[in-house]
Every structure is written in structure tokens, then in C-alpha cells.
Amino acid sequence: MQTLIFRTAAPYISSLMVLFSIFVTLRGHNEPGGGFIGGLIAASAAAVYGIAYGVPAVRKALYFHPMAIAGSGLMLSALSGVFSIFHGVPLMTGVWGSFGFLGATVDIATVVTFDLGVYLVVLGSFTSIALALEEREDG
Amino acid sequence: MAIEHSSVDLSDAMILEPTALADWIITAPVIIPLIAGALLLMIRHETRFHAGIAIGALLLALLGHIGLLARVLETGPLTMTMGRWLPPFGISFTADVLGASMGLAATLSALVCALYSLTDIGARGRRYGFYGFLMLMMAGVNGAFITGDIFNLYVWFEVFLISSFGLLVLGSERRQLDGATKYAILNLLGTTLFLTATALLYGALGTLNMADIARVMPEVQDSIPAGTLATLFFFAFAMKAAAFPVNFWLPASYHTPRIAAAALFGGVLTKIGVYALLRTFGMLMPDQLTLLSTLIAWVAAATMIIGVMGALAQTDLRRILGFVVISGVGTMMAGLALGSVEGFSGAIFYAFHSILVMTALYLLAGVMNGLAGTYSLRTLSGLYTSHPLVAAFAFLLFLAVSGLPPASGLWPKVMLIRASIDGGAPWLAFAILLSSLLTMLALGRVFLLAVWRPAVEPSTAMVVSPGIGYAALLVLAVPIVWMGVYPEPFANVATKAAAGLTDTSAYIRSVFPEVVQ
């Protein structure tokens, strides 16, 4: 789209959306949010950027192929589910651990990595669909 | 664990005894293809690794299935409930003999298709993601066979359905998109019905866990619209299984994908519909099965006969096979309609046979096309003189699918016919015999024209070396002949699977160990 206002605003909107999507994803364990909706917001960010600057710019900004992003997300989720094999509990059980970071204790769980995997799957697949549709329109 | 972080004591809602490492075998058939599928998506452009990863993963999944089947045959159904939440709130995987054995047959068929795809799927198909879709589809198929929760069954249906769309349109030819549209719309209609029925079931019973449904159904079925529910489920699964009169999507789409994909579809996908019918009616709603048995019997007979009539009318080899698949679905539904252990075991045995034989028949069609450059019976000819091995495989498989010795189709049909006569439905036995006769005619025509007839015109097509095709067919021919000449082990497994459907106590105890029955 060739309007100056949109082209100027698009990078800011996109980066805010990506930031917001990460916030929504991390918030999602006990409150509204989560990997799916976060991934959708991130994919919308890619779409906004794509509408302003075209598909090649989005592909360059993503660096990895969208389907590869989706694949790595699926891998991350699947491995998070299987991780509980080492703890004598059934598949998909959340396993928690914590580590010290700058004097604070940070809890981390396979629940979070699973959700991040979902985030990547949704981001990758929806961006892939959006880019394919956008490209078809150009050509 | 989340328990410490929460102010509520959740330990009453959780399974507290540790899970044995050996129990993880139940997840292997689902998790291995899923991880392999994810890996293949990540390295989509490194096509030279694809086939190796896919075949390796399917081999591992096959070993997992063998281990799982051995385990459930020895110690009864095995359950693992996700995330430690107590069933029915946690989602259970429950493998019994039926699920494990059908999953084994399906995975073997997928492995052979992956082997055959070495000649069928070129670099372009790999870049398009053939093996990735194949892996995700098999994760869905195995999940459907192993899950013990009816909503989860719906989810796995969606997983393999969406992956099968990908396999169907591989190459994006016009013909394929046409077939895929019909396939997609009608299958989505079927899944929507399935979802509606599941929602109704949940509204009526408040549970979706199959063991729980089996437990409470006899007590409450008079106060809920059980007949409506059963009819909805029947319609949804009959659509998946391609039973008459909702079978039209199958011949409209199964001749369009690459042959390695078509073989897997023809072999496996309709049988999941049959499996779901056996599971819901045989185990969850036996009284509703009695209610609908006349309808199911008529549908079965019509599917058998009309399916094979379609096969007689076609000239494209793949379309003929599509109709033969439908006819086989009718035969299995006849076993379901009888509602007896004998009927179920005949249907299950027939499902093993049908998964392997239909896969082999599609692959055979692929080999024939590779040699003669056509699927059309108008020009396909002269294979007996040019390639006697193809003729031998064709002869064996045609015997198998018609139910003649020494191949696999004979014994399940004998079991079904005996069950029909014992169950007071001799006309159903007659329908099975008639459909076998017509199948023999339909495939005899193929054999006559494609194999025996002298070559009508010199072939100008590039001949694809049939070596890998022969290897794939050989792998399938071994169990097919084995089922024909020494059927006892298969019949025993089928009988045990059927007994597990009618006597649900072991299944329920596996999910709810505290229940004493």
C-alpha cells in the first residue's frame, strides 16, 4: 500500500504487536492469553508489515522460512510434552524448574515451552498462508 | 510441579503413582511420527534427508506398535492419562487390542507407501512436503486408534484430515484441486456432524472419556436422546468410511493424488471410519446398535453391492480400486450390523486384510502405470508377456480381494458369513457372497484386459523401473499370504479385539483402576 502515513507507521505498529504478542503468550498460563492468540497477533504483525512493504520484506525480516518456524514450534511443543518421561509422570505433565538470574529466582516449566511452541506453530503457519495469498495477488 | 505453586491442594485431582517407563510405549506410535514431521517441516529444503527420516520414523513407530500390541495382548488394555489429571478430566490414551492391532496394520501400510514413494515422489514433491504431511497424517491416524477420549478422537480426525488435504493436492494439478475440493467439503461436513454429536453426547452425559461413557451409558440411556446421538454418530462415521449413500466423495477424489498417497488413503483412511463405528457402537452404545442394526445391515449390503457395481463400470484402474474400497467397507459394516462378537471379529479381521490388500492394489496400479504409462484399461495391456512378476502379484492380490484362497480375503469372509447365518441374517451372508462374486468379475476383467490381453499398441511411455514397487509389494504379500494359509494368529487377535469391545470391564478398569466390576 502506497500511503505515506501507513508506510511510516507500519514498522512501529508491527513491532508493538510483536511485543504485545509475547506479553500475551507469557501471561497465558493462568490468565487470558496463551500461545495460540499470541501467535495470531504476531502473524497479524507480519501481515501488517507485508501490506506496507510487500512480501519479500517480510520474508527478509522473518529470516527463517515460515514453515520452518512452524516446524520448530511443533518440535518444541512435542519435546516439551515428552520431557516428563524423565520424571516418572505421564505425557504432557508440566515439569517445573528454576534458575537464578541477576539475584532473582526465575521459574521455568515445560508448560511455558509448550506454549512458546504453539506460538511458533501459529505464527509460522498463519504467516505462511498470509504471504502465499499476498504473493498470489501481486503475481 | 504446579502443586507447590498453587494455594489449592490439587493432589486429589491427580494421579500420584509414578508412571512406569514401559508405559510410554503407548505414546510411541503418535509421538515418533509427530517429532519426525516437525523435523521434516524444519528442513523442508534439504530434500535428500526426507525419505530416510520418514522411513526410519515409521519403522520406529511400527516397532512401537508391535511392542504395544504384545503388551495389550498379554496384560490387557493400557492407559496413560495426559498431564497427570485424573480421568475423566485428564485426556486418556487407552490402547486395547482393537486399537493397537489396527494401528499396527495401518503403520505397516504407511511404511510400505513411504518405501514406494522413493520412486513415486520426486524432488518437487519432497519440497512440497510429502514426507512431512505423511508423518503428520500417521501421527493423526495412530492417535485416532489409541485415544480413549471421544473429543480427542475428533481432534486426531482433524489432524489426519488436514494432512491428507496436503497429500491430496501435492503438485496442485487442476484435477487434484477438483478432487480435493470434493474431498475437503464432504469430509468437513462429516467432521462437523461428528463434532455436533460429540457436543450432544457431552451435554447428555457430562463426560467424553470412552471408558466413562461405557460405564454410565447403560444407566442413563433411557433418560437421554440416545437414539438420536447414535444416528448422528452413525451418519458422521459412515461418511468417513464412505458407506452408501454418502460414498460419492471417495471415487471423486481418490484417483487424483500420487499413487503413494492414494494407496495410503485407500488402505487406511476409510478403515478409521470403520474403527470409529466399531468403537462407538460396539463398545459405547451396544443397545443403540441393536436399535439401528437393521438400518446398518441394509446400508452395509447396499455399500457392498453398489460399490462393486461401480467398479464394474469403470475403465480407469484407480477409479475401479476406489469402488473396491467402498465395497470392502460394506463388508466390514455387515459385521458391525450383526452386533455379535463373531460379527465384530470378522469385521476386524477383514479390516486387517483390507488395509494391507487395498494398499497393495493401489501400489500395483502404480507399478502398472510405471510400466505402461497409463491407468486406462483401454490401452493397458500385454503385461503378462512383458512383466510376468506383475502378473503374479496381480493374480495374488485379485484372489485376496475377491476372498479366494490362498490369500487373506478368504477367512474374514468365512467368519462374516458364518456370523451372519448364526445371527439369523442369511440374506446378509448372501450379499457378502454376491459382492465377492462381483468383485471377482470386476478384477477378473482388469486381469483379462491389463495382463492377459496381448499388447494393443506398442507402449511409447518411459518405463519406470519397477524394482522398488516389487519390493513394496513383496513386503505386503508376506502378511497377505500368511493370513490366507495360517490365519489362526490373526483370527485370535481379531476375536480378542472384538471381545474387548463387548466386555468393557477390562477397558474401564484400565482407566479407572478403583472401579470394581
Side-chain angles (χ1 to χ4, degrees), chain A residues 29 65 67-76 78-79 81-96 107, chain B residues 1-2 5 14-15 17-21 24 27 31 34-39 41-45 80-84 93 136:
Chain A
H29 184 53
H65 191 278
M67 283 318 284
I69 295 177
S72 56
L74 186 58
M75 179 71 97
L76 184 62
L79 292 180
V82 180
F83 188 74
S84 53
I85 195 171
F86 302 113
H87 292 258
V89 288
L91 184 72
M92 309 265 278
T93 307
V95 179
W96 290 72
D107 289 330
Chain B
M1 202 43 250
H5 295 261
M14 299 198 115
I15 300 164
E17 58 265 37
T19 308
L21 200 58
W24 277 77
T27 64
I31 288 296
L34 194 67
I35 289 179
L39 186 64
L41 275 179
M42 285 164 73
I43 56 161
R44 208 159 68 111
H45 293 279
M80 178 185 271
T81 304
M82 302 301 119
R84 270 177 119 188
F93 272 4
L136 295 178

Side-chain angles (χ1 to χ4, degrees), chain A residues 61-136:
Chain A
L62 281 175
Y63 188 75
F64 295 106
H65 191 278
M67 283 318 284
I69 295 177
S72 56
L74 186 58
M75 179 71 97
L76 184 62
S77 288
L79 292 180
S80 309
V82 180
F83 188 74
S84 53
I85 195 171
F86 302 113
H87 292 258
V89 288
L91 184 72
M92 309 265 278
T93 307
V95 179
W96 290 72
S98 56
F99 60 93
F101 179 69
L102 299 177
T105 317
V106 180
D107 289 330
I108 185 150
T110 54
V111 184
V112 179
T113 52
F114 182 86
D115 236 11
L116 287 176
V118 174
Y119 176 90
L120 293 176
V121 169
V122 176
L123 167 65
S125 45
F126 278 79
T127 309
S128 179
I129 293 168
L131 292 186
L133 290 175
E134 188 78 9
E135 250 167 358
R136 216 45 68 85

Side-chain angles (χ1 to χ4, degrees), chain B residues 373-429:
Chain B
T374 177
Y375 289 106
S376 168
L377 287 183
R378 291 184 215 288
T379 48
L380 192 61
S381 52
L383 288 170
Y384 186 73
T385 41
S386 62
H387 297 90
L389 209 50
V390 172
F393 276 123
F395 189 61
L396 173 72
L397 293 175
F398 292 172
L399 286 181
V401 79
S402 319
L404 294 172
S408 58
L410 173 70
W411 301 108
K413 279 190 178 165
V414 168
M415 284 164 80
L416 282 170
I417 288 168
R418 200 162 76 182
S420 308
I421 294 170
D422 290 349
W427 65 274
L428 205 53

Side-chain angles (χ1 to χ4, degrees), chain B residues 9-16 86:
Chain B
D9 180 19
L10 291 173
S11 56
D12 284 346
M14 299 198 115
I15 300 164
L16 294 176
L86 277 176

